[in-house]
Amino acid sequence: MITFRKAVAADLPAIVAMLADDPLGATREDASLPLAQAYLDAFAAIDADPNQLLAVAVDGAEVVGTLQITFLAGLSRKGAVRGQIEAVRVAGGRRSDGIGRKMFEWAIEECRARGCVLVQLTTDKGRADAHRFYDGLGFTASHIGYKKTL
Amino acid sequence: MITFRKAVAADLPAIVAMLADDPLGATREDASLPLAQAYLDAFAAIDADPNQLLAVAVDGAEVVGTLQITFLAGLSRKGAVRGQIEAVRVAGGRRSDGIGRKMFEWAIEECRARGCVLVQLTTDKGRADAHRFYDGLGFTASHIGYKKTL
C-alpha cells in the first residue's frame, strides 16, 4: 500500500539518496551522511514556501519515491496557475511497481485541487524511459527546454 | 535608453497586450480593458511572492518588454536555486532593437545576484526565432518540455 504525503526533514537522506541514484544525478549529488548543509537549507526554503510541495511516496516506513511540485502564478493564459513537477525519482529496486504512475496521478490531483489549468515538466533529452512514461500519462512534448549554467 | 524594473500594477494593461500580441497568445489571452479580474488576481499573487519577479523593460514612460523570473528552491544539484524565465515578450514594432537580448542579460544578472546556479526556460517547439535567440544567448537545448492541460 503506497501512500503520498508532504516530505518532512527526516525523509531527506532517503530523498537525496534517490536523487543521487541515477546516471545524471550521480555526478551532481552527494548522498553521504550527514548530508551537506546546502541540502538542509534547500529543504527549509522549500518547506517554508506555500507554493512548493516536496512530496514522498511511502510504503510503510520506507520512502520509495519523491517529486517536487511548484505552483506557479503567472499572467499568461488569463492568469492561470501552473503546476510544475521536478526531481521525480523512484527508489532503485521499486522501479517496475507502478509507483511512478501512482505518484504522478496523485501529483496531478494535487495540481487540480490547487486550481492549476496545466501541469508542466521538463526532462533531459537522453531519458528515453522518461519520455515513454510521460507520453503514457497524457503529456504532450510540445516544448524545448533550455538551460544555461551560471 | 532602455531600463528594467519590477512591474507595478499600472504596467498590467501593457504587459497583457504584449502577451496577446503573439500567434500563440492571441488565442489564449484577452487584452480588452478593463482587464479581466483573473489578470489582477494573478498579478497580486506574483507581486506578493518573494520568489517571483515580474519585470518590464521601459523606454521612457513606454513599456516595451516583459518577462517573469521565478526563483526555484530545490534539492537537486546539491540544493541549487534555479532561475526560471517565462512569459518573455517584446512590444510589436520594437522587436529588432536588441531589447530582448538586453532584457535577458538583465534577467540573467538578477538570477546570478540571487545565487542561482542555473537559468532555465522552455519555449514552444514552433517558435523558431526564439530558438535562435536562446542559442545565441548561450542556452543549451538539453531538455524536452512536456505539458498536460487539466
Side-chain angles (χ1 to χ4, degrees):
Chain A
M1 175 68 181
I2 310 290
T3 56
F4 306 95
R5 60 167 169 77
K6 188 170 190 279
V8 296
D11 301 319
L12 262 184
I15 296 172
V16 175
M18 287 188 284
L19 295 177
D21 180 22
D22 171 274
L24 295 171
T27 65
R28 295 176 185 159
E29 310 299 342
D30 174 9
S32 62
L33 299 179
L35 289 177
Q37 186 63 35
Y39 287 118
L40 309 184
D41 293 346
F43 177 79
I46 295 164
D47 195 49
D49 185 341
N51 290 319
Q52 295 269 23
L53 175 54
L54 178 67
V56 286
V58 292
D59 183 358
E62 188 192 0
V63 176
V64 295
T66 183
L67 56 73
Q68 180 178 351
I69 312 175
T70 307
F71 302 102
L72 289 166
L75 294 175
S76 298
R77 298 176 190 239
K78 296 181 186 151
V81 178
R82 297 161 184 232
Q84 178 163 301
I85 300 180
E86 298 205 61
V88 181
R89 296 290 188 284
V90 173
R94 301 298 297 269
R95 287 190 187 141
S96 303
D97 293 359
I99 292 170
R101 168 171 284 272
K102 286 189 195 111
M103 190 162 65
F104 250 85
E105 288 167 352
W106 176 85
I108 289 167
E109 277 313 304
E110 288 292 310
C111 291
R112 213 185 296 270
R114 286 278 297 244
C116 297
V117 302
L118 192 78
V119 180
Q120 64 185 26
L121 61 93
T122 71
T123 186
D124 195 280
K125 279 184 177 173
R127 295 193 193 268
D129 288 358
H131 305 164
R132 282 190 290 276
F133 177 71
Y134 296 125
D135 289 341
L137 281 165
F139 281 83
T140 304
S142 56
H143 283 60
I144 300 176
Y146 287 85
K147 303 209 188 261
K148 179 182 171 76
T149 307
L150 297 188
Chain B
M1 177 67 183
I2 309 290
T3 57
F4 305 95
R5 60 167 170 78
K6 187 171 191 278
V8 296
D11 300 319
L12 261 184
I15 297 171
V16 175
M18 286 187 285
L19 295 177
D21 180 23
D22 172 275
L24 295 171
T27 65
R28 295 174 184 160
E29 309 301 342
D30 174 9
S32 61
L33 299 179
L35 289 176
Q37 185 65 36
Y39 286 117
L40 310 184
D41 293 348
F43 176 79
I46 296 165
D47 195 50
D49 185 342
N51 290 318
Q52 295 269 21
L53 174 54
L54 178 67
V56 287
V58 291
D59 183 356
E62 189 192 0
V63 176
V64 296
T66 183
L67 55 72
Q68 181 178 353
I69 312 176
T70 307
F71 302 103
L72 289 166
L75 294 174
S76 298
R77 299 176 189 238
K78 296 180 185 151
V81 178
R82 298 161 184 230
Q84 178 163 299
I85 299 180
E86 299 206 62
V88 181
R89 296 290 189 284
V90 172
R94 301 299 297 269
R95 286 188 189 143
S96 304
D97 294 357
I99 293 170
R101 169 170 283 272
K102 286 190 195 112
M103 190 163 66
F104 251 84
E105 287 166 354
W106 175 85
I108 289 167
E109 277 314 303
E110 289 291 310
C111 292
R112 212 185 297 269
R114 286 278 297 245
C116 297
V117 303
L118 192 78
V119 180
Q120 64 184 25
L121 61 92
T122 71
T123 186
D124 194 280
K125 279 185 178 171
R127 295 193 195 267
D129 288 358
H131 306 163
R132 282 190 291 276
F133 177 72
Y134 296 125
D135 289 342
L137 281 164
F139 281 83
T140 304
S142 56
H143 282 61
I144 301 176
Y146 288 85
K147 303 210 187 260
K148 179 182 171 75
T149 306
L150 299 189

